[in-house]
């Protein structure tokens, strides 16, 4: 093996060592969650801690599904999250494109106002926002949870704008020479090149919508309209701390977001191909 | 010419229609209303009473508020650099085309989707000074760990570490999307010039993703100044108020102490602070952010 | 006599109305808000709402429940929307503040009209009287209550040859026993078994201060006075358990690992009697319950109720009150409060079914404790000042500040909240 080969192997080993150390640090809390979710309530805090539960309480999971209509909750969460994701990605991409390169009157103002909406601490707009939804007659429906997503969002717009700005400027010029209209440039050049960013944004919005606790609790009152995340909080009592059930619930609730993550991740990888085609 | 420009402006506004409607319908009203409330004594339940600047005056004179401001900036000072640095580092590591990298990506992203309530208990246990895993591991290296969450001096660092653990996967993914878009030719050219891995990262990766770094910094700043959930579920502001943050005070005043008006005035102090910091960051970006 | 007659007539009238009016009368819908978990919601539905609706077919109860952490935010949005509930569960810490804002119905006239106080435990009901705990009116109706108690590990007492706690135990007796029960079995300098475990929360702290002869707030509730020598002695005593005698773990030791008593690492714990449900799952040791110890001045047992209130805005206060009465007088043990909380109705609490004479713990302790019962100072802005107090006293319990200094800071912080109205 030549020198550069040795060097390569050594750096590969180094990378794996770093990855494994960091990976273990990141995974430990999660492993403990899974382990607690399979324990009896009184065993959760026993020490010295036991990583392998005994007895293994698979029934914690079935207990979760016994008490609440989880199928219904799952459906509510899914359709709200999917609609939110679609609406927000579409509206943010449009806005981000407009706010990236084209120069026009009012561009800065709109961008900074949009940004400013992110700076207001949400706690104090809860009540006014709630009143707006009430005047629209949307209380106790799923509308307040996903309709606003069809009207843009500061985070997504900002994120996609930054991404669009990192694409080569020559793309616009080339498109203009080809006689491409603005809409066609957006649809046929910007969007395909932005797959990694769009996938990332979809992932985030899906996750935020899926994990949203405050929205459903405030806007909904009929129990069967609740989402899975809210349903899981129904395992926390005032005095009783059903930690083992809570842990089981937490494990169940993250599975859909992991699936969405794995789906989105494929698109990050396909981004390499797209990246190499351009030029 | 003028007509054409006008037409083009109208055209571009077409893209912004949903956003503008959203701003007006779902944001403007709520934000203005909450601002107006900051001049009232208002508990939501009984009619509001105009008290002028009293809420603002009270906030400025409250020791607890300034403790919270101090804590919030302490959090930001630790959280922002750690997050940005670690997120970029992880993204570079898991962007390599080596075996098993997908698994590591997933592990680093897992905390992001895990519920904070569940996480808080796990960390309370991990950080227990006598029986927790963290100090046990430190002990193996002959280090006596601090009391972490039960120590006024170490609770905030612990909260920062947990927050970084919880959110860094988020920023890692944003970086990953940006890294995927760097053309491999850039690296190939650098390799031919004999640049080693570190030089490539310094001279290619970091400048090329600088617009993403800018985005990540802005996001980290905003979320750290608004920090709430982590302290709400993990420390409730304790011990001895060492982790009380501005947003926690806002929440308590608004919904637990029936002082919505005062909460909104605190919120506008926080809003002003975030705005100032963000403006400085926008002004500063020309020195280090590299747009194509 | 007259009262019984009146209440009899009312019952006849209501029942008669229900029967006669059946079919033509408009249905009354009551919105009912609680904080419970999924199981609790099922119990409330099956043990209260359904049997109640069977009895009163013209009343429909719409139950909405949210987790406790979200309850107040949710409640406020219903007020903002102008659509508040008719019936709502009320935390005792908020009754004063909500009554003060005029949103709770004064239940005193209803109570005196339909019920007689002798049949209920009067002590815990003081906590929901407004404006004064002794002379004020009921602004919520307790349906069950809990008290602070001392749980002890019998196996550890037996092994150390220490006598079980008795009713007349003082804090000094507790300290002596805790010393004998604190063990470092393997001699590694790390304590393996703590004699006593407590957390310096509102009920332990308040009970100790009162039992040493101090008070938390002045009679008129306007001044923080727990900087008296008596109150300071109480706090000092508790701090010394951790740092001087080392018989009780400090916050640094117990933080994040749950209840040391439950996992078999402490011989005694002062806690809430509602922990019974958790402790009954313990199979690794025998335990029982005793009264909390008395101090040099007196013995004080903290009691606080779970209550239900009627909104003053309710259009159907009579129907809502029927539900409240049903809840406290249904005559059977519901699964919601169960065996772990004491029914406010004496007849039910003292029945064989609730007392469970054949089971652990010995619930007669609870009955004997009634005479020492004392409601907490759940008075104006309680949530705010009790948080301020705990935060300022914390450095003392962490062993980082002299007690006197911590108390001075705490009094100042509490006073700031009290003055701020």
């Amino acid at each position: 093996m030549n020198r550069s080969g040795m060097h390569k192997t050594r750096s590969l080993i180094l990378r794996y060592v770093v990855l494994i150390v960091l990976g273990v640090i990141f995974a430990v809390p999660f492993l403990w969650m899974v382990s607690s979710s399979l324990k009896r309530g009184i065993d959760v805090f026993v020490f010295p801690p036991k990583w392998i539960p005994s007895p293994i309480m698979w029934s914690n999971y079935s207990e979760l599904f016994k008490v609440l209509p989880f199928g219904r909750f799952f459906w509510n969460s899914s359709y709200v999250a999917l609609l939110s994701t679609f609406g927000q990605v579409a509206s943010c991409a449009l806005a981000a494109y407009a706010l990236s390169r084209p120069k026009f009157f009012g561009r800065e103002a709109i961008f900074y106002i949009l940004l400013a909406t992110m700076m207001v601490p949400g706690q104090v707009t809860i009540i006014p926002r709630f009143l707006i939804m009430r005047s629209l007659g949307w209380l106790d429906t799923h509308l307040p949870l996903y309709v606003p997503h069809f009207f843009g969002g500061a985070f997504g717009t900002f994120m996609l704008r930054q991404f669009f700005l990192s694409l080569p400027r020559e793309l616009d010029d080339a498109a203009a020479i080809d006689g491409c209209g603005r809409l066609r440039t957006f649809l046929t050049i910007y969007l395909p090149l932005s797959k990694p960013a769009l996938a990332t944004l979809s992932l985030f919005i899906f996750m935020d919508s899926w994990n949203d606790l405050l929205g459903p609790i405030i806007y909904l009152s009929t129990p069967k309209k609740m989402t899975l995340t809210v349903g899981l909080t129904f395992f926390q009592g005032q005095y009783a701390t059903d930690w083992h059930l809570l842990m089981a619930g937490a494990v169940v609730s993250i599975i859909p977001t992991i699936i969405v993550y794995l789906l989105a991740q494929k698109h990050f990888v396909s981004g390499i191909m797209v990246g190499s085609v351009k030029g | 010419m003028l007509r054409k420009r006008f037409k083009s402006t109208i055209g571009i506004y077409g893209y912004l229609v949903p956003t503008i409607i959203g701003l007006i319908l779902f944001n403007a009203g709520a934000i203005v209303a909450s601002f107006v409330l900051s001049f009232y004594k208002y508990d939501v339940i009984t009619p509001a009473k105009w008290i002028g600047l009293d809420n603002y005056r009270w906030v400025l004179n409250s020791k607890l508020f300034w403790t919270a401001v101090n804590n919030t900036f302490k959090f930001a000072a630790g959280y922002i650099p750690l997050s940005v640095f670690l997120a970029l580092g992880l993204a570079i590591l898991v962007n390599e085309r080596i075996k098993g990298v997908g698994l590591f990506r997933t592990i680093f992203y897992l905390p992001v989707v895990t519920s904070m309530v569940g996480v808080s208990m796990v960390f309370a246990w991990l950080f227990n000074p006598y029986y927790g895993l963290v100090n046990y591991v430190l002990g193996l290296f002959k280090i006596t760990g601090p009391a972490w969450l039960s120590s006024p001096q170490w609770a905030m660092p612990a909260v920062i570490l947990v927050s970084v653990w919880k959110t860094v996967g988020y920023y890692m993914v944003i970086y990953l999307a940006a890294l995927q878009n760097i053309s491999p030719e850039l690296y190939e050219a650098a390799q031919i010039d004999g640049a080693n891995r570190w030089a490539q990262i310094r001279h290619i990766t970091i400048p090329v993703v600088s617009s993403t770094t800018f985005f990540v910094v802005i996001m980290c700043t905003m979320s750290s100044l608004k920090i709430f959930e982590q302290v709400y579920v993990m420390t409730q502001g304790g011990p001895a108020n060492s982790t009380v943050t501005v947003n926690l005070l806002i929440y308590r005043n608004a919904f637990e102490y029936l002082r919505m008006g005062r909460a909104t005035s605190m919120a506008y102090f926080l809003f002003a602070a975030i705005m100032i910091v963000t403006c400085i960051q926008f002004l500063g970006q020309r020195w280090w952010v590299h747009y194509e | 006599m007259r009262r019984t007659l009146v209440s009899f007539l009312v019952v006849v009238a209501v029942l008669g109305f229900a029967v006669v009016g059946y079919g033509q009368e408009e249905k009354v819908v009551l919105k009912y808000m609680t904080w419970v978990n999924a199981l609790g919601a099922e119990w409330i539905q099956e043990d209260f709402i359904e049997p109640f609706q069977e009895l009163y077919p013209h009343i429909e109860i719409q139950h909405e429940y949210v987790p406790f952490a979200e309850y107040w935010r949710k409640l406020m949005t219903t007020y903002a929307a102008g659509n508040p509930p008719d019936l709502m569960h009320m935390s005792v810490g908020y009754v004063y503040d909500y009554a003060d804002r005029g949103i709770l119905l004064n239940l005193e006239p209803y109570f005196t009209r339909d019920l007689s106080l002798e049949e209920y435990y009067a002590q815990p009901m003081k906590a929901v009287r407004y404006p004064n705990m002794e002379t004020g009116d009921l602004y919520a109706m307790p349906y069950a209550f809990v008290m602070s108690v001392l749980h002890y590990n019998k196996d550890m007492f037996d092994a150390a040859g220490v006598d079980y706690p008795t009713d007349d135990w003082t804090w000094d007796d507790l300290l002596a026993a805790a010393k004998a029960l604190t063990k470092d079995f393997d001699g590694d300098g790390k304590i393996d078994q703590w004699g006593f475990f407590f957390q310096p929360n509102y009920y332990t702290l308040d009970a100790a201060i009162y039992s040493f002869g101090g008070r938390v707030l002045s009679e008129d509730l306007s001044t923080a006075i727990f900087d008296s020598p008596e109150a300071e002695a109480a706090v000092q005593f508790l701090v010394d358990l951790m740092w001087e005698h080392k018989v009780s773990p400090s916050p640094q030791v117990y933080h994040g690992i749950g209840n040391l008593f439950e996992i078999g690492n402490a011989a005694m714990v002062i806690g809430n009697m509602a922990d019974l449900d958790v402790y009954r799952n313990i199979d690794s040791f025998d335990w029982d319950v005793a009264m909390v110890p008395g101090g040099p001045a007196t013995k004080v047992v903290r009691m606080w109720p779970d209550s239900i209130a009627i909104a003053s805005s309710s259009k159907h206060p009579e129907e809502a009150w029927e539900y409240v009465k049903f809840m406290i007088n249904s005559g059977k043990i519901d699964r919601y409060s169960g065996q772990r909380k004491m029914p406010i109705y004496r007849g039910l609490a003292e029945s064989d079914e609730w007392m469970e004479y054949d089971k652990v713990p010995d619930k007669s302790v609870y009955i004997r404790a009634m005479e020492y019962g004392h409601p907490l100072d759940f008075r104006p802005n309680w949530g705010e000042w009790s948080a301020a107090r705990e935060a300022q006293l914390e450095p003392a319990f962490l062993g980082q500040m002299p007690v006197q200094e911590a108390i001075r800071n705490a009094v100042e912080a509490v006073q700031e909240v009290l003055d701020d109205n």
Side-chain angles (χ1 to χ4, degrees), chain C residues 6-154:
Chain C
V6 170
S7 60
F8 174 70
L9 286 176
V10 168
V11 171
V12 168
V14 170
L15 284 177
F17 202 54
V19 173
V20 175
Y22 189 71
Q24 53 191 15
E25 189 192 350
E26 232 175 283
K27 200 153 189 152
V28 171
V29 177
L30 297 176
K31 190 171 153 187
Y32 177 31
M33 263 182 68
T34 67
W35 65 83
V36 286
N37 57 20
L39 210 55
E42 205 179 286
W43 292 337
I44 286 188
Q45 187 67 32
E46 289 171 6
D47 291 1
F48 293 125
I49 297 177
E50 281 168 14
F52 177 77
Q53 290 181 154
E54 249 166 61
L55 207 57
Y56 300 93
H58 68 294
I59 304 177
E60 184 194 333
I61 294 188
Q62 287 178 354
H63 183 206
E64 274 184 38
Y65 60 99
V66 293
F68 184 70
E70 301 295 336
Y71 185 76
W72 309 104
R73 204 148 48 171
K74 174 84 184 174
L75 188 61
M76 259 182 222
T77 54
T78 67
Y79 270 95
N83 182 27
D86 298 280
L87 287 158
M88 55 194 144
H89 283 195
M90 254 293 135
S91 163
V92 72
Y94 285 103
V95 171
Y96 185 99
D97 294 334
Y98 278 67
D100 202 38
R101 284 166 174 79
I103 69 163
L104 302 184
L105 188 68
N106 182 351
L107 299 181
E108 195 69 28
Y110 296 83
F111 188 88
T112 48
R113 184 190 71 190
D114 294 357
L115 306 167
S116 60
L117 190 58
E118 309 86 70
E119 294 181 2
Y120 301 87
Y121 290 112
Q123 284 289 8
M125 285 167 67
K126 289 180 183 175
V128 295
R129 291 188 182 277
Y130 168 87
N132 185 294
M133 284 195 289
E134 301 294 333
T135 58
D137 288 351
L138 291 170
Y139 276 78
M141 186 60 214
Y143 50 84
F145 64 99
V146 292
M147 63 178 82
S148 56
V149 290
L150 181 74
H151 288 106
Y152 62 97
N153 183 321
K154 280 180 151 174

Side-chain angles (χ1 to χ4, degrees), chain C residues 219-285:
Chain C
E219 294 270 2
D220 65 356
L221 308 171
S222 68
T223 320
I225 55 164
F226 56 94
D227 52 356
S228 64
E230 294 84 7
E232 193 188 315
V235 178
Q236 187 70 54
F237 182 86
L238 293 178
V239 169
D240 285 350
L241 289 175
M242 292 176 179
W243 294 98
E244 172 70 25
H245 308 298
K246 297 194 167 55
V247 295
S248 192
S250 66
Q252 286 96 325
V253 176
Y254 65 70
H255 191 277
I257 49 172
N259 182 338
L260 288 164
F261 178 80
E262 183 188 337
I263 56 182
N265 274 67
M268 297 181 275
V269 62
I270 286 191
N272 181 337
M273 69 184 253
D275 291 336
L276 168 146
D277 269 7
V278 180
Y279 293 171
R280 278 190 173 167
N281 288 326
I282 294 173
D283 45 22
S284 52
F285 60 85

Side-chain angles (χ1 to χ4, degrees), chain A residues 40-42 45-47 66-68 123 126-127 130-131 134 139 213-214 216-223 226 230-231 233-242, chain C residues 35-39 42 63-68 70 73-74 76-78 80-82 146 256-258 260 262-263 265 272 274 278 281-283 304 306 340-341:
Chain A
R40 293 180 303 167
I42 51 166
F45 280 116
V46 165
F47 54 73
K66 217 166 47 197
V67 194
L68 288 170
Q123 308 287 1
I126 289 171
I127 299 279
F130 175 84
L131 294 178
R134 183 181 70 134
L139 293 190
L213 188 63
L214 191 57
I217 279 183
I218 285 187
Y219 297 125
L220 304 176
S221 30
T222 311
M226 290 295 178
V230 178
T233 66
F234 290 152
F235 285 100
Q236 288 168 267
Q238 192 192 358
Y239 294 110
T241 42
D242 305 321
Chain C
W35 65 83
V36 286
N37 57 20
L39 210 55
E42 205 179 286
H63 183 206
E64 274 184 38
Y65 60 99
V66 293
F68 184 70
E70 301 295 336
R73 204 148 48 171
K74 174 84 184 174
M76 259 182 222
T77 54
T78 67
V146 292
I257 49 172
L260 288 164
E262 183 188 337
I263 56 182
N265 274 67
N272 181 337
V278 180
N281 288 326
I282 294 173
D283 45 22
W304 62 106
D306 286 348
R340 64 201 173 100
K341 297 185 179 180

